[in-house]
Amino acid sequence: MYKQNIYEITENKPLTKDVFKMTLTGDTQYITAPGQFINILLEGKYLRRPISVCDCDEKAITVIYKVVGGGTELMSEMQAGETLDCITGLGNGYHIVNAERPLVIGGGVGIPPLYNLTKRLLERGQHPAVILGFNTMDEIFYEKEFAALGADVAVTTVDGSYGIKGFVTDAFPEAYDYFYTCGPMPMFRAIEKIAKTSGQYSFEERMGCGFGACMGCSCKTKNGYKRICKDGPVLEREEIIW
């Protein structure tokens, strides 16, 4: 179930040069799974902006977004005390499976929804290993936050300026029994080549409505066509057609 409501901005600050963290206070009851997203209405923009939920509690939603166009630039300029019209509870997020040593893999702005997932895995007594992939040291965010949860965190940078030089696949541990991932498609294809277990991928796709009505984000799977905004964004490894 999804719901439209007005939310107040209580924090909107940069984490890197072009990545921002925004906290919104208001009704969070419709966010039920890690990996879901909210759809934000911005003045002068016809289509809402879908942004993954990084974390939420009974009173607030945290989102982390990258400034990539006019909509997210408008968001970056907003101040505490302003309000946003948001639809919450969108998308079919990650479902947690029984695993002793799950692997959580994030790339760039695909990292935020994995934070709440990691928190929930730890609450269930699982011990996730987390890999965060970036191009360079200047792009790194939320490493300390993941570590503070109690997860084992490895950071990779393509240029070797911090952590492990290379891609997320260069940091895969020997032992893991399930994986969850979110990030760009090239990263997904690299993971798919070496992954040893079942897993869940969270896909990005251009969306119109955000709740399954317009069919604009449909993709073909082994189980027929699915809408990324409603049947996804999380899909099982076994159903994906690469």
Side-chain angles (χ1 to χ4, degrees):
M1 176 181 286
Y2 57 87
K3 183 71 173 180
Q4 181 179 355
N5 272 311
I6 302 298
Y7 294 80
E8 180 180 350
I9 300 171
T10 54
E11 180 184 53
N12 190 28
K13 67 177 185 180
L15 299 179
T16 69
K17 178 174 64 70
D18 53 8
V19 173
F20 285 73
K21 174 185 177 182
M22 178 182 283
T23 303
L24 301 163
T25 57
D27 187 358
T28 65
Q29 65 178 305
Y30 298 97
I31 300 172
T32 58
Q36 289 183 298
F37 64 95
I38 64 175
N39 228 1
I40 301 175
L41 181 64
L42 296 167
E43 186 176 355
K45 303 298 180 182
Y46 178 68
L47 293 179
R48 291 175 179 263
R49 266 46 181 183
I51 306 289
S52 297
V53 174
C54 174
D55 200 14
C56 71
D57 56 26
E58 294 81 4
K59 297 179 180 179
I61 300 167
T62 299
V63 295
I64 293 175
Y65 61 95
K66 184 176 184 179
V67 177
V68 294
T72 44
E73 185 175 359
L74 281 175
M75 287 177 60
S76 72
E77 297 167 353
M78 299 188 77
Q79 303 295 317
E82 295 187 64
T83 59
L84 282 172
D85 180 319
C86 303
I87 301 175
T88 65
L90 295 170
N92 178 30
Y94 295 102
H95 67 272
I96 295 176
V97 302
N98 291 325
E100 292 185 7
R101 186 64 172 170
L103 179 59
V104 176
I105 316 143
V109 287
I111 288 168
L114 300 173
Y115 178 78
N116 186 259
L117 170 66
T118 300
K119 181 186 289 188
R120 297 196 188 199
L121 290 170
L122 287 160
E123 288 171 352
R124 293 195 177 201
Q126 300 186 27
H127 303 284
V130 176
I131 305 172
L132 308 178
F134 302 92
N135 289 315
T136 183
M137 178 173 62
D138 294 338
E139 298 178 359
I140 295 172
F141 63 90
Y142 253 55
E143 176 192 8
K144 293 180 180 178
E145 286 80 356
F146 274 91
L149 293 176
D152 298 327
V153 182
V155 175
T156 67
T157 52
V158 176
D159 66 0
S161 55
Y162 184 90
I164 299 168
K165 179 178 172 59
F167 302 99
V168 293
T169 47
D170 294 307
F172 265 47
E174 285 295 323
Y176 63 95
D177 50 2
Y178 198 81
F179 72 88
Y180 307 86
T181 186
C182 185
M185 187 61 73
M187 186 187 86
F188 283 178
R189 295 187 186 281
I191 290 171
E192 185 63 17
K193 289 180 180 179
I194 70 167
K196 304 174 183 177
T197 69
S198 295
Q200 297 171 43
Y201 290 85
S202 181
F203 285 85
E204 296 180 353
E205 187 60 71
R206 292 186 67 86
M207 298 178 186
C209 67
F211 46 81
C214 73
M215 308 299 289
C217 61
S218 295
C219 70
K220 188 176 182 180
T221 75
K222 295 177 182 177
N223 299 324
Y225 281 90
K226 290 194 171 184
R227 297 158 293 181
I228 292 299
C229 71
K230 187 173 179 65
D231 306 309
V234 177
L235 299 178
E236 301 274 357
R237 182 186 189 187
E238 288 75 15
E239 65 181 316
I240 299 167
I241 299 174
W242 296 99

